[in-house]
Amino acid sequence: MEIRAIQPSEVEAARRLLVASGWEHGVSDAEEFRKLLSRSQVALVAVEGSQVLGFLRALCDGIANGYISMLVVAEQHRRKGVGRALIKAAMGDDRRITWVLRALPKGVAAFYEKLGFPKSGVAMERPGARRSMSLPKV
């Protein structure tokens, strides 16, 4: 398995992986997903041959703060170290940087706690408005 920056030819595979895993916001539209990636400092894939096993997107100032925005691993490759490898590659070795994330899906908090992310009592959030998908009138 190789962890590296996502290549243009892998963007659609990463997007499909997110959609298959239940992500909707920012990934259902291919062009919007490309725009999302273009504004990210970190966009990594875990690959084996030409198969995308996992994907991670993060934002980081490289000095003090980092935010892991998206992490997904193909279901058949979970519990094999893919997610852990993506997280470690994104965060690097600089222990001065505080990394934050949102562990939303049920059951993932334990995964992040094993990687050194304790639950925080100081984080606050202002959720963005979700775009509604209106159907055309018939």
Side-chain angles (χ1 to χ4, degrees):
M1 176 180 68
E2 178 186 7
I3 306 293
R4 59 174 164 71
I6 193 168
Q7 304 296 311
S9 62
E10 297 161 334
V11 169
E12 182 57 19
R15 190 187 74 78
R16 283 194 313 267
L17 181 58
L18 286 159
V19 169
S21 297
W23 289 78
E24 292 178 9
H25 184 66
V27 303
S28 57
D29 178 83
E31 189 53 41
E32 187 173 325
F33 183 61
R34 287 184 190 284
K35 187 185 289 186
L36 197 66
L37 289 182
S38 73
R39 296 177 181 182
S40 303
Q41 285 93 5
V42 180
L44 302 174
V45 286
V47 294
E48 212 165 61
S50 62
Q51 184 182 13
V52 175
L53 311 178
F55 167 76
L56 179 142
R57 181 179 89 89
L59 306 168
C60 184
D61 60 24
I63 298 169
N65 298 294
Y67 171 63
I68 296 171
S69 174
M70 296 176 164
L71 173 64
V72 64
V73 175
E75 194 166 345
Q76 66 271 28
H77 295 286
R78 292 179 187 163
R79 299 187 143 325
K80 297 179 181 177
V82 177
R84 176 182 297 269
L86 284 162
I87 293 278
K88 288 186 178 271
M91 293 190 327
D93 296 324
D94 191 341
R95 303 285 298 161
R96 296 173 300 169
I97 297 175
T98 297
W99 286 87
V100 296
L101 54 84
R102 293 170 60 203
L104 288 180
K106 195 171 185 114
V108 299
F111 166 77
Y112 289 112
E113 286 172 348
K114 289 177 189 173
L115 294 174
F117 286 86
K119 290 181 182 167
S120 173
V122 297
M124 299 176 77
E125 177 182 33
R126 179 178 165 230
R130 300 286 187 226
R131 294 184 198 135
S132 64
M133 298 293 288
S134 57
L135 299 172
K137 294 185 180 187
V138 181

